[in-house]
Amino acid sequence: MSARTTLATAAARALANSPRPTNHRPLLVVPTALLILLYFVFEGQPHTFQKIGAPLCGLFPFIIMFLVTSIAMLRERTTGTLERLMTLPVAKADILFGYGVAFGMLAGVQAVIVCTVGFLVLGLEAAHGAWLVGLLAVANALLGMALGLCVSAFARTEFQAVQFMPALIFPQMLLCGLFVPRDEMAGWLHTLSWLLPLTYAYEALARATTPAHLGGRCRGRDSCSRLTVASLGLGALTLQRRTP
């Protein structure tokens, strides 16, 4: 794996998308629009909006990037773009991490926008600073992007890729602790939640948004970082020289 090749691949993907900037507008607007909708849903319950809305600033980028990246990467595979790249003398990891850097830049912009609106416009608060939630939102967006790149290898059509959302993301939303504390769930669900990436993403956000002591290390943050790298590595193993 070469850093130079990885950055070259990322630049190529960014340039390939640059003539169509309007394609990225929904990606940047949808999470913010959902947060604003949630604000009005809980207009009479500001405490509930604070409890749910602050962590969602970091979870929305994860969800959106997972869906968009899995479909975009599948299209790269089925249209032959990825196959042409793999005819070049580059490693699989260079290609996938290059895609990761390109999508990651977009993920970072998305996370910054939703956090800016949430904390500066809608009045959300974080005990340890909105900047920390913003950093975690970027990290979670990268994790969603990495998982999307990984699972795209297991889909043959865009319809199949979309089905990964209810199959993989919705259960994680229910079990991560956002709506019900995990300690109050059935024992087997509590055990299952430890195996889900979104659990660690939410754990880090919950620590950042509550007055409890943050501690020297954040297990959720560290786990998200390791899962992001592991997902990209697993995705590299699934790349094939010939598109199925």
Side-chain angles (χ1 to χ4, degrees):
M1 180 175 172
S2 166
R4 181 179 179 181
T5 306
T6 298
L7 293 177
T9 304
R13 290 300 87 211
L15 289 174
N17 290 328
S18 59
R20 303 186 301 264
T22 55
N23 291 351
H24 300 325
R25 289 178 183 173
L27 178 62
L28 301 177
V29 171
V30 167
T32 303
L34 291 175
L35 190 64
I36 294 174
L37 177 63
L38 193 66
Y39 171 81
F40 287 105
V41 168
F42 293 106
E43 187 174 14
Q45 306 175 53
H47 177 72
T48 302
F49 176 68
Q50 169 65 33
K51 180 181 178 181
I52 297 178
L56 279 178
C57 284
L59 296 182
F60 275 148
F62 173 94
I63 299 168
I64 300 299
M65 287 306 300
F66 173 87
L67 179 62
V68 171
T69 306
S70 59
I71 295 176
M73 190 63 177
L74 175 65
R75 186 169 298 174
E76 296 280 84
R77 293 174 186 266
T78 56
T79 57
T81 302
L82 185 60
E83 185 174 337
R84 289 191 292 271
L85 271 177
M86 296 189 68
T87 61
L88 301 175
V90 295
K92 293 181 179 181
D94 287 323
I95 295 175
L96 200 62
F97 276 81
Y99 274 86
V101 172
F103 282 116
M105 291 187 292
L106 188 59
V109 174
Q110 179 197 77
V112 169
I113 291 175
V114 70
C115 287
T116 299
V117 173
F119 288 96
L120 295 184
V121 179
L122 301 182
L124 289 174
E125 298 178 354
H128 298 283
W131 64 270
L132 181 56
V133 177
L135 289 178
L136 292 172
V138 173
N140 292 338
L142 293 175
L143 175 59
M145 173 271 302
L147 290 174
L149 290 176
C150 180
V151 302
S152 68
F154 303 98
R156 294 294 177 266
T157 65
E158 292 184 11
F159 178 70
Q160 290 180 350
V162 170
Q163 292 181 77
F164 284 124
M165 174 67 81
L168 298 179
I169 301 302
F170 289 170
Q172 294 190 64
M173 288 288 293
L174 296 175
L175 298 180
C176 71
L178 176 64
F179 302 107
V180 178
R182 293 188 298 120
D183 292 339
E184 299 179 9
M185 298 178 183
W188 66 276
L189 288 178
H190 182 268
T191 301
L192 178 62
S193 68
W194 288 112
L195 304 176
L196 306 176
L198 207 59
T199 295
Y200 301 97
Y202 174 74
E203 179 187 6
L205 288 164
R207 291 191 179 192
T209 55
T210 56
H213 182 58
L214 191 60
R217 293 180 61 84
C218 182
R219 180 175 57 185
R221 178 202 62 196
D222 296 339
S223 298
C224 286
S225 300
R226 289 193 292 267
L227 286 169
T228 299
V229 175
S231 298
L232 288 174
L234 182 60
L237 295 177
T238 65
L239 293 181
Q240 301 177 359
R241 290 288 175 182
R242 189 171 296 276
T243 304

